Amino acid sequence: MSHTAAEPTPTAADQPLVKCLVWDLDNTLWRGTLLEDEEVELTEEIRRTVLELDARGILQSVASRNDHGLAWERLEKLGMAQYFVLPQIGWGRKSDSVRAIASRLQFAESVVAFIDDQPTERAEVTHELPAVRTYEAERAAELTGLPEFSPDHVTEDATNRRAMYQAGFRRELAEREHVGSSEEFLKSLDLRQVIEHAGDEHLARVEELTLRTSQMNATGVHYSDADLRALLADPDHDVLVTSLTDRFGSHGAVGVLLLQRGDRSWHLKLLATSCRVVSFGTGATILRWLIAEAHRAGVHLTADFRATERNRIMEVAYRFAGFSRQPCADCGHTAGADPADGAAVQRLHLVPTAQDVSTSMRVTAPTLGVDRIQSVHQCYGYRVECSYDVAARGVVRDFFGPALADDALTDAHSRTLRLGFSVRDGVSTEPVNPPHNLDVMTGDPIVIDTASSRCVFDPSTASGELTLARADLDSSAVWGRWILERLFLYLICRSPRSYPLHAGAIEAEGRVAVLTAAAGVGKSTFTYWALHRGARLVGEDILARNMDEPGGALWGYPRALYLTPEMIARSKALQDATAVPIENGAKCRVTVPETLEDRLLPRARPSCLVFLVRGEGGAPRELDIAEALDRCRDDYSTAKSTDEVAAVEEDLRALLAELPLWEFEVSDDLDESYDRLHAALTALPTGSAE
C-alpha cells in the first residue's frame, strides 16, 4: 500500500472501514491488456474477491484508461458488470475518476480505496487524494483478509447495498426527468412500507439505526445488541423494524420502533428513521400506523423525546401527530419529565383517533397486542396467508422470505392458501422422515407427521396447521424439507391444473435455462455454480407450472439449495449460511443467504430446456419434443389421471414447441461448463425472465 512520505503509515486500528474499492482493469481486475490482447482472463480468486466484498456491503467501482464501450462489453461477458457502480472508463486521470466516484457516492475520501498494477497511477492518486488508500494489484486476492475490508457485522442492508445504490441512481434520474410536481413524482414511485417484528437477522441493523441516526432519532439513546435481545424476550415489548421499497428497488431497513405495551397505555420508547427517506414521509406514516393500532386496542400512547443538537425535526413530527405534554387522568400520564429516565427526557401523550394510514404509500404491518402475527407471502405462485406464534417467526421468514403487501398476487393469482404455525413445548421426540407416497399425497386431509412436528392440511378449504416442536425450529430439514416443501409438491401434483418438473432454472443475460438431470449427474451443484458465477436463481429442485396462468411461466422455489458439504466448503458465500444435513449427511439443505437474495427470481418464462449429462464438454445436442416429454413424464404424471396427463402433455408440448431442447455435457470443470452454457444462452433471444 502506498502513502505519502510526509505522513506515517497508519495502523489498521487507525483506519476506518473501506466503503468503496475502485478497481483498475488491465492487469488488475483481469489479466492482460484489453486493447492489445485477443482475450483477457479473470481468475477465480479475483472473482471470489469481488463477490465477497460485494457480500460484505463494500461498494466497488472502476477507474480505467480504456475504451468505455469495449471495456464494459468485456465486463458484461465476464458476468461482472453488475458489481460495479459509477464506472469511470475513459482517458482522464485516475485521481479525477476516483474523486468523481467518491463525490457522487457522498463518501469521504478516507473510506475509499484504489487498486492498480501501475506504481505511477497509484502515486498520482496518492498525491492528489492523500486520504485514499492504494493497493498493488498483486494484493487483490488478500483484500478480504485485511481488517479495513472486514466489518464486524454484515447486516441484511449491507448485503443489498450495491442494489440499493443502483436503484437510487435510477430513482434520481427519473426524478430529474419527471415533469410535474414533487407530490406527483412521489405518487409515481409506488412506495411500499413493511413494518414487522424484528428477528435475529435484523438486530445488527436495528442497533446501527439507534447508534447512527441522529436527525430522526427521538431520544438519541443507543440500544446495544444485548439490550435489544432482552426486549425481544420480553412479551410486553415490541421491537419493530420498517423497510421501504419502490418501483426502482429497496431502500432497506429504514426505521425502528421500541414499544412497551401496558393495559391502559403503550409507551413508545424510541422511534428512529433513516434520514435518507425523510422526504418520503416514512416517519409520519409509522406514527399514523401506531396511532391507528393504539386506537384499535383502546389504549393511550406516550412517547419519549429527548432534545439533542440535531433532532428538532422529531419533536415537530410528534407535535404534528398530536402528542403533547398535557397530563391525562385516564391513563395516569403526568406532565413533565419522567423521573425514571432522567430530567432530559420528556414524556409526551396522545389520545389515539382513527387514522388513514396508507396516504402516500402502501403499508404492510402486523396487528399489535395479539398473540399471533399475520403476514402474506408467495410460494410456487400461491398467495400464502400465514398466521403464527412469535416463536415461529424465523421459520416463516426463512422458508417464504420477506412478507409481501397484503394485496400482492391477488390480481394475477386466485390460488390462496392459509397456513397456521404453532410452537409447542414438551418432551423432545427424535424427528423421522415421514412416509412419502401416493396415499399421503392424495389423502384428505393431507397429514405429514415427523413424530416431533406435524402438518394437517385440508385441500377442500385450502388451509392447514403446522404444529412445530420447539426443538425443531433450528432444523430446516424437518420444517423445510420434510413438511413445507413436501406439502407444496403434493398440492402441485394433486391439482388437475398444475404439474411439477424435477428441474432447476437459472437466468443469465435475460435468458432462462431450465435444468434437469438424472440422479448423480450434479444438477444441484451446477445450478449453484451458475448462481455463484452471477446468474439469478429461479429454483434448484422442483419447478411448477399452473396451466391457468398465461404466458408460459414456471414457478420455482429459490430459497433453498441442496449441496454436498464439499461444495459448501468451496464457497465463501455459503460459509455463514444455515446448512442442515439430509440424506445421511451426503447433502445439506442450505438456506440461501441474504447476501444472494437480490439474485432470486421465483418466476420466469423459459428460453430453453437443458438435460444435463456427465461428459467432457462440447456443443449442446439438439433433442426433439417427444424425447423431452418422455424424459419428464415421471415428473408431471404423478397423481394425475389419464385425462389429466393428456392435458398436461398438451400444455407442456405447447410450452416447449418454440424452445431449444438440449442435451448438455457437464465436466468436472464447473467454470468451463458454465462458460459453454452461458455462451449458448447469450445466442438466444432475450425477454424470457420475469
Side-chain angles (χ1 to χ4, degrees), residues 154-165:
V154 179
T155 66
E156 182 176 357
D157 279 4
T159 64
N160 296 319
R161 183 163 289 137
R162 169 177 51 84
M164 287 193 289
Y165 270 86

Side-chain angles (χ1 to χ4, degrees), residues 370-688:
V370 297
D371 295 332
R372 292 172 72 81
I373 303 171
Q374 286 78 39
S375 59
V376 175
H377 302 266
Q378 176 280 129
C379 188
Y380 282 121
Y382 289 96
R383 169 188 163 89
V384 186
E385 299 175 355
C386 295
S387 173
Y388 45 96
D389 292 347
V390 173
R393 175 178 51 209
V395 169
V396 174
R397 175 60 171 79
D398 285 354
F399 187 83
F400 293 108
L404 304 177
D406 288 343
D407 59 353
L409 300 174
T410 301
D411 295 335
H413 309 280
S414 59
R415 303 184 302 171
T416 297
L417 305 180
R418 296 172 180 83
L419 293 177
F421 296 77
S422 299
V423 178
R424 65 171 178 82
D425 294 301
V427 178
S428 179
T429 303
E430 187 69 21
V432 296
N433 194 344
H436 178 54
N437 55 46
L438 194 61
D439 289 339
V440 178
M441 184 182 298
T442 58
D444 289 308
I446 298 172
V447 178
I448 305 174
D449 195 339
T450 73
S452 58
S453 295
R454 177 182 173 93
C455 172
V456 179
F457 188 89
D458 183 356
S460 67
T461 61
S463 61
E465 182 71 24
L466 280 73
T467 304
L468 302 172
R470 194 172 296 276
D472 288 344
L473 294 180
D474 293 329
S475 178
S476 65
V478 178
W479 52 257
R481 179 70 166 178
W482 293 351
I483 297 181
L484 286 169
E485 288 180 29
R486 194 166 293 180
L487 172 63
F488 279 95
L489 175 61
Y490 291 173
L491 294 175
I492 294 164
C493 286
R494 65 185 285 153
S495 167
R497 302 298 298 164
S498 298
Y499 58 89
L501 295 175
H502 183 205
I506 59 167
E507 182 270 338
E509 312 298 342
R511 290 90 166 176
V512 175
V514 175
L515 307 174
T516 186
V521 169
K523 172 180 63 66
S524 298
T525 297
F526 184 75
T527 302
Y528 169 67
W529 203 253
L531 176 64
H532 169 72
R533 286 289 304 271
R536 291 202 289 175
L537 179 66
V538 181
E540 187 268 284
D541 192 36
I542 298 293
L543 299 179
R545 166 81 178 127
N546 173 17
M547 292 188 284
D548 293 324
E549 183 178 356
L554 294 174
W555 287 87
Y557 178 66
R559 305 208 61 83
L561 301 161
Y562 289 92
L563 302 173
T564 64
E566 292 76 18
M567 177 55 67
I568 297 171
R570 285 182 64 180
S571 173
K572 286 187 177 181
L574 300 181
Q575 296 307 300
D576 297 326
T578 302
V580 178
I582 62 169
E583 300 175 7
N584 298 318
K587 284 191 174 183
C588 295
R589 185 188 191 275
V590 183
T591 300
V592 174
E594 293 170 358
T595 55
L596 300 176
E597 280 195 341
D598 64 331
R599 301 221 304 274
L600 305 186
L601 183 73
R603 178 175 63 172
R605 295 190 301 273
S607 306
C608 61
L609 179 63
V610 181
F611 295 91
L612 303 177
V613 296
R614 296 299 297 176
E616 297 302 321
R621 181 175 75 86
E622 293 283 349
L623 302 175
D624 60 31
I625 288 184
E627 185 175 0
L629 289 173
D630 185 61
R631 293 191 183 195
C632 297
R633 185 165 284 106
D634 288 345
D635 301 341
Y636 62 69
S637 63
T638 302
K640 296 282 193 293
S641 68
T642 302
D643 290 342
E644 289 169 349
V645 170
V648 167
E649 291 188 349
E650 180 181 359
D651 180 81
L652 187 54
R653 184 182 296 274
L655 183 65
L656 301 180
E658 303 300 324
L659 301 183
L661 310 175
W662 295 332
E663 184 176 83
F664 181 83
E665 292 185 355
V666 177
S667 68
D668 291 334
D669 188 337
L670 293 173
D671 280 317
E672 185 275 336
S673 297
Y674 177 74
D675 287 340
R676 281 190 289 112
L677 181 61
H678 185 273
L681 282 175
T682 54
L684 299 176
T686 59
S688 295

